[in-house]
Amino acid sequence: MEVSIIIVNWNSIDYLRECVASIYEHTHDIRVEIIVVDNASPAGDADLIERELRGIIFIRSRMNLGFAGANNLGFRHSSGKYVLFLNPDTKLTGPAVNVMLRHSRSL
């Protein structure tokens, strides 16, 4: 795995849908895993994520671990050489992950 993208969700399912779709739309020719950690969303987001977002690694936290704690949980499940922590309200409009990886490889 080249890049693990970790996204923490807390009641942001609408943003998350767009975020994940934009990753799939704009990231090509690299092996990417998307890890979503639901941080005990009280609005039922976890059930929607499991039903709607296929192809991701989904972690359902039973308690709100805070932003850092949820990212650490996602990191422990990642297998990428590189890790990108991404907020769920991020929407890629171009090949940002490919550019990041190309730059990281050159270091």
Side-chain angles (χ1 to χ4, degrees):
M1 189 59 55
E2 291 179 279
V3 180
S4 298
I5 300 174
I6 300 171
I7 306 167
V8 174
N9 180 72
W10 190 81
N11 286 346
S12 55
I13 185 69
D14 293 331
Y15 288 121
L16 182 63
R17 286 180 186 116
E18 289 186 39
C19 179
V20 170
S22 75
I23 293 167
Y24 287 135
E25 179 181 355
H26 294 288
T27 305
H28 304 286
D29 303 321
I30 60 175
R31 292 177 315 160
V32 173
E33 66 182 0
I34 300 172
I35 301 169
V36 174
V37 178
D38 185 73
N39 217 4
S41 296
D45 285 10
D47 294 332
L48 293 172
I49 292 168
E50 282 187 313
R51 271 197 316 268
E52 295 179 20
L53 299 180
R54 302 291 180 203
I56 66 166
I57 298 168
F58 177 64
I59 303 166
R60 183 190 297 240
S61 178
R62 293 178 189 225
M63 59 184 285
N64 189 325
L65 302 172
F67 184 70
N71 273 309
N72 285 331
L73 177 59
F75 180 77
R76 286 194 297 274
H77 288 85
S78 67
S79 63
K81 180 176 180 179
Y82 301 94
V83 176
L84 171 62
F85 296 99
L86 198 62
N87 287 333
D89 61 349
T90 304
K91 186 175 178 182
L92 301 183
T93 59
V97 177
N98 290 75
V99 171
M100 178 201 71
L101 181 60
R102 187 169 48 249
H103 177 72
S104 295
R105 286 176 177 158
S106 71
L107 296 177

